[in-house]
């Protein structure tokens, strides 16, 4: 299995060796912010992408002063064509070593009652933007025979999830797409890892309108734990990273059990999981 040195070691930072460059979407909050922080700490410069410029500006100055990282702020709404185009143009410069396709959100409720515009926005962000950014990043990575992409899916991508039907389907797409690309680009010296987190305490639940108690508390993994697991999996050339033993067992179980059973279990978890929604 291919192993690539993505994480700059402490010695090369202290001797002032060239820092690597990562681009993180959804860096203003939660898991994406965790990626930006951990990468800056381990010797990366970072391009941070999200809609909230003020939050990104503060993050950039924090990372610069704490870790000496160069941080470039790119304000973009990745649910829009213009926003994705701006990030594609940045990737086309060909200097990004690591792309983290993390921006995403979920919706919960009976599909027929959810606003269809929001469902389509979810597909635009979770699927269309991710596909376009992979397509923009890969040519220069393959030409250099170096680089990596982490695509953020979810354990929800391992089975259909009634009452989060669109969200789980977007993440199933990301999982299958990433696994297929992993095989395609490995011979070119590029690694694609699909990160499939279980529940993580971020703004995700509030945005989706999910009560956090719907998921067992032992299934929750910290942002730092999720980011470390993803970067370690990338370093080892793994196609999939599922942080947390319980989440790995659940994902395995979903692949082994009859589909009628897994979708009924998933539906029973999310039918009554509603809470006040944000966004
Ligand atoms: N938390 C969990 O339990 C969990 C579990 C499995 C998978 N995930 C996945 O992990 C990823 C990160 O989620 P999170 O938990 O960190 O949630 P979060 O705290 O809500 O962060 C979401 C990030 O995405 C950005 N974003 C949202 N809409 C955007 C848009 N239209 N254009 C550009 N950026 C946008 C947000 O920034 P702005 O609002 O500033 O644009 C924010 O930085 C998502 O793909 C999610 O599906 C999360």
């Amino acid at each position: 299995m291919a192993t690539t040195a993505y994480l700059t070691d402490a010695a090369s930072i202290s001797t002032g060796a060239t820092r690597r460059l990562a681009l993180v979407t959804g860096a203003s909050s939660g898991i994406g912010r965790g990626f930006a922080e951990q990468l800056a700490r381990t010797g990366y410069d970072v391009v941070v992408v999200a809609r909230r410029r003020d939050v990104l500006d503060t993050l950039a100055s924090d990372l610069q002063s704490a870790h000496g990282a160069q941080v470039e702020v790119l304000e973009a709404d990745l649910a829009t064509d213009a926003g994705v185009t701006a990030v594609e143009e940045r990737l086309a410069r060909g200097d990004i070593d690591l792309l983290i396709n993390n921006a995403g959100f979920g919706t919960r409720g009976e599909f027929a009652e959810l606003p269809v515009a929001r469902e389509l926005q979810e597909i635009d962000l979770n699927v269309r933007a991710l596909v376009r950014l992979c397509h923009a990043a890969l040519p220069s990575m393959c030409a250099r025979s170096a680089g990596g992409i982490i695509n953020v899916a979810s354990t929800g991508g391992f089975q259909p999830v009634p009452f989060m039907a669109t969200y789980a389907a977007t993440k199933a797409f990301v999982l299958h797409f990433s696994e297929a690309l992993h095989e395609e680009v490995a011979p070119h010296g590029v690694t694609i890892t699909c990160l499939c987190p279980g529940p993580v305490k971020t703004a995700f639940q509030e945005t989706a309108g999910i009560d956090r108690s719907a998921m067992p508390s032992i299934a929750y993994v910290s942002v730092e734990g999720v980011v470390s697991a993803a970067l370690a999996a990338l370093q080892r050339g793994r196609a999939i990273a599922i942080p947390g033993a319980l989440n790995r067992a659940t994902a395995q179980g979903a692949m082994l059990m009859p589909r009628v059973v897994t979708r009924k279990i998933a539906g029973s978890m999310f039918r009554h999981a509603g809470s006040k929604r944000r966004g």
Side-chain angles (χ1 to χ4, degrees), residues 220-236:
Y220 280 88
V221 177
S222 68
V223 166
E224 296 72 25
V226 166
V227 169
S228 297
L231 293 173
L234 180 82
Q235 184 106 10
R236 291 190 199 112

Side-chain angles (χ1 to χ4, degrees), residues 27-28 33 36-37 40 46-48 53-74:
S28 60
R33 186 187 176 96
E37 287 172 347
V46 193
V47 182
V48 289
R53 175 154 210 127
D54 53 337
V55 180
L56 293 178
D57 284 339
T58 306
L59 174 66
S61 95
D62 289 351
L63 296 182
Q64 272 155 8
S65 52
H67 309 296
Q70 295 296 310
V71 183
E72 200 180 312
V73 170
L74 180 42

Side-chain angles (χ1 to χ4, degrees), residues 75-216:
E75 177 189 339
D77 182 343
L78 294 174
T80 68
D81 181 53
V84 182
T85 301
V87 184
E88 283 174 329
E89 285 170 355
R90 180 63 191 82
L91 289 165
R93 283 200 226 162
D95 57 351
I96 302 294
D97 300 295
L98 176 57
L99 166 63
I100 314 275
N101 272 313
N102 161 79
F105 71 88
T107 49
R108 193 211 69 87
E110 253 180 74
F111 173 74
E113 291 175 3
L114 292 169
V116 74
R118 182 87 171 143
E119 299 298 287
L120 294 176
Q121 198 182 28
E122 192 174 355
I123 295 168
D124 285 342
L125 178 62
N126 297 6
V127 175
R128 284 175 60 90
L130 179 141
V131 168
R132 285 178 60 179
L133 298 188
C134 284
H135 197 262
L138 281 173
S140 72
M141 288 183 180
C142 290
R144 286 180 281 145
S145 296
I149 299 178
I150 294 176
N151 286 333
V152 182
S154 165
T155 48
F158 285 94
Q159 69 284 297
V161 181
F163 308 101
M164 290 195 79
T166 303
Y167 178 71
T170 66
K171 296 304 186 179
F173 178 96
V174 173
L175 177 58
H176 284 223
F177 177 69
S178 305
E179 276 194 89
L181 287 194
H182 176 91
E183 295 301 326
E184 285 187 27
V185 302
H188 300 290
V190 177
T191 302
I192 297 197
T193 297
C194 187
L195 169 62
C196 300
V200 187
K201 286 177 187 158
T202 66
F204 175 85
Q205 289 82 17
E206 195 186 344
T207 302
I210 298 172
D211 184 341
R212 281 191 179 151
S213 64
M215 305 295 287

